[in-house]
Amino acid sequence: MKYDLVLLHAPSVYDFRENALLAGPISDVVPSSPVFEMYPIGLTSIADYLERYGLKVKIINIANRMLMNQNFDVEKKLKKIKARAFGIDLHWLPHAHGSIELAKIVKRLHPDTPIIFGGLSSTYFHKELIQYPFIDFVMRGDSTEKLMLLLMNKLEFEDTHYVDIPNLTWKKGEEIGYNPITYVPKDLDEFDIPGYRYTIRSVFKYKNFLDPLPYNGWLQYPNTALLTARGCSQNCLICGGSRDAYEQNCNRNGLALRSPAKLVEDIQFVQRFSRAPIFIIHDIRQGGVEYVNEFFHLLKNIKLKNELVFELFQYADEQFFEQINEAVPKYSIEITLETHDEKLRRLNGKFNCTNQKVIDTLNFALKHGCKKIDLFFMVGVPGQTYESTLQNIDFCETIHLACQKDPRIFYFVAPLAPFLDPASPAFENPELYGYKKFCHTLEDHRKAITQPSWKHMLSYETKYMTRDEIVKATYDAAKLLNDFKMKYYLIDKETFFDIEEKINKSMDYIERIDRLLALPPSLQTTELEKIKKEIQELNRYSICGKNELKWEVKKNYANIFSLALVGLEQLYEDYSIKIKRQISPSNRDQVKLDS
C-alpha cells in the first residue's frame, strides 16, 4: 500500500537501546517512560482531517515499537514504506535528538520524499531545522490540520511554489522561505482532538494495531484524553504553553475552544471502546461560567460510564465541585501546585492564592465525591531554594492533617527537567526570573539530552540552586515524601522500601557517572556500558510507586460487540468518503482558512 503521509514519532534519544542514560525522575509523573514514547495528540487530528479528504495517513510510534521490542528494526520497517511525504513531530523539546536522527534515516532511505516537521518546539526552532539538509518543511503554529492538507495538495505537483501556504517554513533548492503565521483558528469544533475515530479506523484499515499505540502499556491501561482548548488563559513563567508563549510562538492572542457539545460527543464515543479514565486537558473554567454550565448540563443527559479527570489551574469553590458531582458519577482531580510558598506561586502564576484556599479546594473536592486527587510539587521553579523544596513535604503533612488524613490525596514531587520550555517567560528572560541557561539553540538541547545522567541534561540552574543542588533537592525531597507516605500508611512497606532503595541507588549512580565523566572519552563508553542494565532499572518510577499515578479501573474496555461495531462503523465511514467525494486535488483545494 502507498500512503500519502506517514507520521512518525521518535524516542527522545534515538539510540536509547544502546546507550546508558540515567534519566532518573524526569518522566516519573507522566504516562510515558524516559523515552517519552507518548506522541502528541495533534498527530491524530491531522491524520483524521486529511483522511476526511480521501488521503491515506498512517501513524507509526517508532519510539514505542523500539521500547516494546528490543530487536525491532527501525530501518527495515521504514524501508518498506511507500509514501508521498513523511511527517515527524518535534513538539516536546526532549525529542530534539531522536526526531533529528530519525529524519536523517528516513531521508537516507527515501532521498526523494519530503520530510515535514511540526509541533511547538519545531515552531520555535524552525529556522534551525530548515538548515538541516534532510528536512524540507516546518509547519508552524498550534493548529496545522488544514495547512497540512494544503501542503499535501501542493506536493502532487513537481513544479510548484509554497509562498501562499500560511505558517510554512520551506526549502526549494537553495531558496528558503518563512511564510508568516497568519492562520490561527479561533474555533476547534471541526477537528477531532484527539482523533480517536481515525485511530480505531487505522487499526482495521492498515491491519496493524501496534504502530499507532500511544505509549507502552496502553493496551493494559487504555486511558484517553480530550483537549478543551489551544492557547491558555494563564501565564505561568516556566510553561511553553502559557499565554505569552502562545502569542510569541504561534501568534495566538486568545483561546480557541472546543464546544461543550463536541467534548460530550467525544466522551460518548470514547466510552464505546474504553472504560478507562478520560483526562480533560486544561482547566475547563477557562471557557467561562456559561461554558462550564453547558458542559455539565450536557453530561447530566448522557449515561456516563467512564471516570473523568479534571485539571485545575486555580482555586475552585464548593459550587464547582457540587456541579461536577451532580453530573459525573466518578471523577478525579489533578493539581500542579508546584510549591507551598504563596509568594512563589504568585510569581509563577499557578494557584495564585493562599494556602488556606488550596486546602479549601481539596476539602471541597473530597466532600463532593472526588475519588482521587493528584497533587504535584516541583523542584526548580523560579525563586525556590533547597530549603523551600524540602518544606513542600511539610506542607504535604499540613494538607493531610487539614483534610482529615484522607487517603484519596496522592502526593508527588518531581524536578523541572530536563529543559526550560522554549518561548516560556523563563526561557525568554532567564535572568529576570533567576535562571541561568546552559542551552540556547536546538543543537544545544540535542546534545544535552544525550548526556549520561539527568543532572548533565539539565538546561539550566537557578540563582538559588546549582545543578548539583537541584538533583540533591529532588532526591532529598523524594526521601522525605516517601517517609511521610509511610508514616500515614499511604503506601505499603514493600513500596516504601522499593522507592527508598531506588532513590539511594540513583544518588550513588549520579556520583558514579560524575566520576566516569572525568575519565578519557575512550574509557567512558566502556565503563558506562558496564552499568547499563542497572541504569535502565532505575529509570522507571525512581521516586514514586509505579501505581500511584493510576486511577482505579475495574474494566478496561467496552464489550467485544461494541468494539467490533465501532471498528465496522469507521471502516464504513472511510468507504463512504471514497464514494462520495471522488477526491481530486482540485476539490481538496476548496478548503478555506478562517484566521
Side-chain angles (χ1 to χ4, degrees):
M1 180 182 291
K2 182 169 183 177
Y3 305 100
D4 291 290
L5 176 65
V6 174
L7 297 169
L8 305 173
H9 179 66
S12 54
V13 176
Y14 180 74
D15 45 4
F16 72 93
R17 293 183 294 187
E18 283 77 45
N19 293 336
L21 304 175
L22 180 59
I26 63 175
S27 67
D28 270 13
V29 293
V30 294
S32 57
S33 71
V35 173
F36 289 99
E37 77 275 11
M38 184 170 68
Y39 55 78
I41 59 177
L43 290 189
T44 63
S45 61
I46 291 169
D48 178 80
Y49 190 80
L50 266 58
E51 290 220 334
R52 290 184 211 172
Y53 288 86
L55 278 72
K56 293 176 181 176
V57 185
K58 183 173 175 63
I59 292 175
I60 306 176
N61 189 344
I62 295 292
N64 194 43
R65 294 302 307 267
M66 295 172 76
L67 194 61
M68 292 176 71
N69 181 357
Q70 185 71 20
N71 298 314
F72 177 74
D73 190 328
V74 177
E75 296 198 20
K76 183 179 178 182
K77 174 81 171 179
L78 294 175
K79 192 174 183 178
K80 294 178 180 177
I81 294 173
K82 295 178 181 179
R84 289 202 294 121
F86 288 93
I88 299 176
D89 69 90
L90 176 52
H91 184 67
W92 298 297
L93 197 48
H95 291 95
H97 181 271
S99 61
I100 290 171
E101 294 303 310
L102 185 59
K104 284 182 189 176
I105 293 168
V106 173
K107 186 59 85 172
R108 173 164 51 81
L109 297 173
H110 303 280
D112 299 322
T113 306
I115 294 177
I116 310 160
F117 265 59
L120 290 184
S121 293
S122 291
T123 299
Y124 189 88
F125 291 110
H126 70 106
K127 289 185 177 180
E128 273 190 79
L129 284 169
I130 203 65
Q131 297 296 330
Y132 288 108
F134 40 83
I135 297 175
D136 302 285
F137 301 97
V138 183
M139 189 61 81
R140 289 146 42 223
D142 59 34
S143 302
T144 62
E145 292 87 355
K146 286 188 175 183
L147 303 178
M148 285 298 293
L149 180 60
L150 296 182
L151 179 57
M152 292 305 298
N153 290 345
K154 291 274 190 180
L155 293 178
E156 292 196 14
F157 305 98
E158 289 187 13
D159 187 22
T160 189
H161 62 84
Y162 305 102
V163 293
D164 58 344
I165 300 180
N167 305 25
L168 183 66
T169 296
W170 52 272
K171 183 162 55 186
K172 189 175 182 182
E174 297 298 314
E175 186 182 7
I176 293 177
Y178 309 106
N179 300 348
I181 296 180
T182 56
Y183 175 65
V184 188
K186 296 177 181 178
D187 184 278
L188 301 179
D189 269 6
E190 66 179 306
F191 309 119
D192 280 354
I193 316 171
Y196 288 120
R197 291 169 181 82
Y198 158 81
T199 307
I200 291 175
R201 183 170 66 247
S202 73
V203 169
F204 291 91
K205 183 177 178 180
Y206 303 129
K207 300 177 178 62
N208 190 312
F209 76 93
L210 292 178
D211 285 345
L213 286 177
Y215 56 84
N216 194 23
W218 188 87
L219 288 173
Q220 292 75 37
Y221 192 71
N223 62 330
T224 54
L226 296 177
L227 187 72
T228 58
R230 283 173 173 157
C232 191
S233 61
Q234 308 297 303
N235 204 35
C236 303
L237 298 181
I238 56 175
C239 183
S242 65
R243 186 178 66 240
D244 282 0
Y246 264 106
E247 185 169 4
Q248 177 190 328
N249 204 25
C250 302
N251 199 26
R252 176 171 294 287
N253 54 21
L255 283 175
L257 290 161
R258 301 187 75 227
S259 69
K262 281 295 291 182
L263 290 176
V264 173
E265 179 187 310
D266 284 350
I267 288 170
Q268 288 178 292
F269 180 76
V270 167
Q271 65 184 19
R272 292 184 62 194
F273 66 86
S274 171
R275 287 290 180 269
I278 302 171
F279 185 72
I280 309 298
I281 302 173
H282 302 320
D283 194 323
I284 60 168
R285 295 174 298 166
Q286 288 191 119
V289 174
E290 289 184 10
Y291 183 94
V292 172
N293 290 343
E294 183 183 352
F295 178 65
F296 288 127
H297 172 73
L298 291 171
L299 280 180
K300 284 182 184 178
N301 296 325
I302 69 170
K303 189 176 180 181
L304 185 56
K305 301 171 184 176
N306 295 48
E307 178 177 1
L308 299 187
V309 182
F310 295 94
E311 189 175 10
L312 298 185
F313 292 162
Q314 299 291 350
Y315 162 79
D317 61 20
E318 187 167 8
Q319 183 184 3
F320 177 69
F321 293 106
E322 287 175 346
Q323 272 188 294
I324 300 179
N325 199 29
E326 288 174 8
V328 184
K330 187 177 182 181
Y331 75 95
S332 293
I333 296 293
E334 288 215 340
I335 297 173
T336 303
L337 195 59
E338 293 178 350
T339 172
H340 73 284
D341 191 314
E342 295 174 1
K343 291 180 180 178
L344 297 188
R345 288 206 304 274
R346 277 197 295 273
L347 172 66
N348 191 40
K350 187 76 69 74
F351 256 81
N352 180 10
C353 63
T354 64
N355 284 341
Q356 184 55 53
K357 289 275 191 182
V358 172
I359 292 170
D360 288 345
T361 299
L362 299 174
N363 272 321
F364 291 150
L366 295 169
K367 177 181 176 183
H368 293 285
C370 185
K371 303 300 181 186
K372 185 175 189 282
I373 300 174
D374 289 336
L375 195 59
F376 299 94
F377 293 88
M378 297 188 72
V379 182
V381 297
Q384 190 180 54
T385 62
Y386 172 83
E387 292 75 18
S388 177
T389 302
L390 302 191
Q391 287 165 6
N392 283 333
I393 314 308
D394 295 332
F395 188 48
C396 290
E397 187 162 22
T398 299
I399 290 171
H400 193 61
L401 296 175
C403 294
Q404 295 76 48
K405 303 181 183 179
D406 200 304
R408 289 176 287 172
I409 305 179
F410 290 71
Y411 306 85
F412 303 91
V413 63
L416 172 62
F419 303 144
L420 291 176
D421 282 358
S424 68
F427 187 91
E428 298 303 312
N429 301 285
E431 292 182 4
L432 182 62
Y433 300 112
Y435 285 100
K436 177 184 177 182
K437 283 200 304 185
F438 297 116
C439 297
H440 303 268
T441 66
L442 179 62
E443 189 64 20
D444 291 340
H445 292 89
R446 194 177 77 85
K447 292 176 180 175
I449 197 66
T450 64
Q451 294 302 304
S453 82
W454 72 274
K455 183 183 104 173
H456 297 281
M457 294 177 195
L458 284 175
S459 68
Y460 72 94
E461 61 185 22
T462 74
K463 179 180 177 181
Y464 301 101
M465 288 194 284
T466 64
R467 278 171 164 171
D468 284 296
E469 288 167 330
I470 291 169
V471 171
K472 178 175 169 52
T474 299
Y475 286 127
D476 287 351
K479 276 187 172 183
L480 290 175
L481 186 61
N482 198 39
D483 291 341
F484 155 74
K485 290 177 181 179
M486 188 68 249
K487 176 181 177 180
Y488 289 102
Y489 305 105
L490 298 175
I491 54 175
D492 57 35
K493 285 186 177 180
E494 183 181 353
T495 302
F496 170 78
F497 287 119
D498 180 57
I499 294 172
E500 184 176 56
E501 182 183 15
K502 281 191 171 182
I503 292 172
N504 290 332
K505 278 188 176 180
S506 296
M507 294 172 74
D508 289 341
Y509 274 85
I510 289 281
E511 293 180 5
R512 189 170 175 181
I513 290 170
D514 282 350
R515 291 194 296 271
L516 293 181
L517 291 178
L519 297 173
S522 58
L523 291 176
Q524 288 179 20
T525 305
T526 305
E527 293 301 314
L528 284 169
E529 184 63 28
K530 292 178 181 178
I531 57 174
K532 179 180 170 182
K533 279 192 176 180
E534 293 93 327
I535 285 176
Q536 289 173 340
E537 285 296 316
L538 292 173
N539 276 342
R540 201 72 174 114
Y541 302 110
S542 60
I543 58 174
C544 68
K546 65 180 181 179
N547 292 318
E548 287 187 79
L549 274 171
K550 292 182 178 178
W551 299 279
E552 184 182 354
V553 179
K554 293 180 179 178
K555 183 181 179 183
N556 284 334
Y557 296 97
N559 64 64
I560 190 66
F561 301 106
S562 179
L563 285 167
L565 184 59
V566 169
L568 289 171
E569 285 176 357
Q570 296 311 306
L571 284 175
Y572 178 75
E573 182 181 322
D574 186 65
Y575 176 75
S576 299
I577 289 172
K578 292 176 186 176
I579 298 300
K580 290 177 182 177
R581 287 189 175 273
Q582 296 297 310
I583 292 298
S584 70
S586 57
N587 61 26
R588 286 207 304 261
D589 277 338
Q590 294 172 9
V591 173
K592 294 181 180 179
L593 301 178
D594 15 307
S595 300

